[in-house]
Amino acid sequence: MNQDKKIALLIDAENISRNYRKTIMNELAKYGTTTYRRIYGDFTSRTISWTSEDMLKYSLTPIQQYSNTSHNNKNAGKNSSDITLVIDAMDILYSGNVEGFCIVSSDSDFTKLASRLREAGMLVIGMGEEKTPLAFRKSCEKFILLDVLNKSSDKKQQSDKKIDKKVDKKSEKTEKPKKTAKKVKEQAEEVIAENQNEKAEQIISDDIEEKSTDTPTLMPLESITQLIKTEILPELADEDGWASLADIGNWLYKLYSDFDSRNYGFSKLSALFKSCEDFEVKPQPQTDPNSNIVYYLIKEKTNV
């Protein structure tokens, strides 16, 4: 990743929730410096969640597009914002002031724009939810699933909270007096209520997943494993069967713009493949004694 790249950030506010604002900025910081930060939509509409505080905090320039067309056309205002975003993107491209674009939307309408920007030699990063059509994902050099990252982040926070609660409970046993029967009953009722809420949330989540049959899904890890064994390793491996894990990762990123080890629950690529029984992973010998970066080698296990 080139930290010196100048990148234009263009956000479709009518399609992306403000809940992802931190994730968007944190992820984009890995790829370069955002010289343009623009967000598009009809900000007089109550359907947009982004606030003026968000604009100020993240230095976002709002591009207001009023819905001044017939009420019969529900998408008229949205289309106006999309067209404005596309026009601005082309203006920025021809200005020659950036080396990359980040288009934040789950809308397939930006597929052609992403393809055109890549044809011009631009780095194109897409960000959206899992519902984003495959065509838009593939048109980007890198596509980041915001809701997947947020879910994994929430799970980690919940796990940390559970650990803290366990520690607190242990200290309570030694410090606090015994609870009264009334207090125990009240807490039991609270737990039952919480469990019922969790069950209700799970039922709703399952129902949404069943209805979203057209939503693109991540490539199964088994399929990726098979691809590496049959196609990638034969091309990259040395005489002993070892290949650079970084090279394997780059190959996968080029094939699948939405490939990310975090989508499978692992913070790093090395951790992902260490968990696979089909491969051996070992650190690559250091060539620079002053470097703290660890590179890995990967090989198919012969005894699997």
Side-chain angles (χ1 to χ4, degrees), residues 119-179:
E119 288 174 1
M122 294 286 109
L123 166 68
V124 181
I125 303 164
M127 295 189 188
E129 296 179 327
E130 278 190 280
K131 66 183 180 183
T132 306
L134 201 58
F136 182 35
R137 295 192 195 185
K138 291 292 185 181
S139 65
C140 301
E141 187 170 334
K142 176 69 178 176
F143 195 89
I144 297 167
L145 299 173
L146 296 171
D147 47 346
V148 173
L149 293 189
N150 270 25
K151 283 177 186 175
S152 61
S153 176
D154 290 343
K155 285 180 181 178
K156 185 179 183 304
Q157 289 177 3
Q158 289 174 3
S159 176
D160 292 342
K161 286 180 181 179
K162 285 180 181 178
I163 292 171
D164 291 339
K165 284 182 180 179
K166 287 180 180 179
V167 173
D168 291 340
K169 284 180 179 179
K170 286 181 180 179
S171 61
E172 285 175 3
K173 287 180 181 178
T174 55
E175 296 174 5
K176 292 186 177 181
K178 290 183 179 181
K179 299 174 183 175

Side-chain angles (χ1 to χ4, degrees), residues 22 27 49 71-72 81 106 115 138 144 152 160 163 165 173 229 239 277 280 283 288 295 298:
K22 290 182 181 178
E27 287 297 310
S49 60
H71 293 291
N72 295 329
S81 295
S106 302
S115 298
K138 291 292 185 181
I144 297 167
S152 61
D160 292 342
I163 292 171
K165 284 182 180 179
K173 287 180 181 178
K229 290 193 291 186
E239 294 178 355
E277 297 179 353
E280 294 179 46
D288 182 3
Y295 295 98
I298 185 171

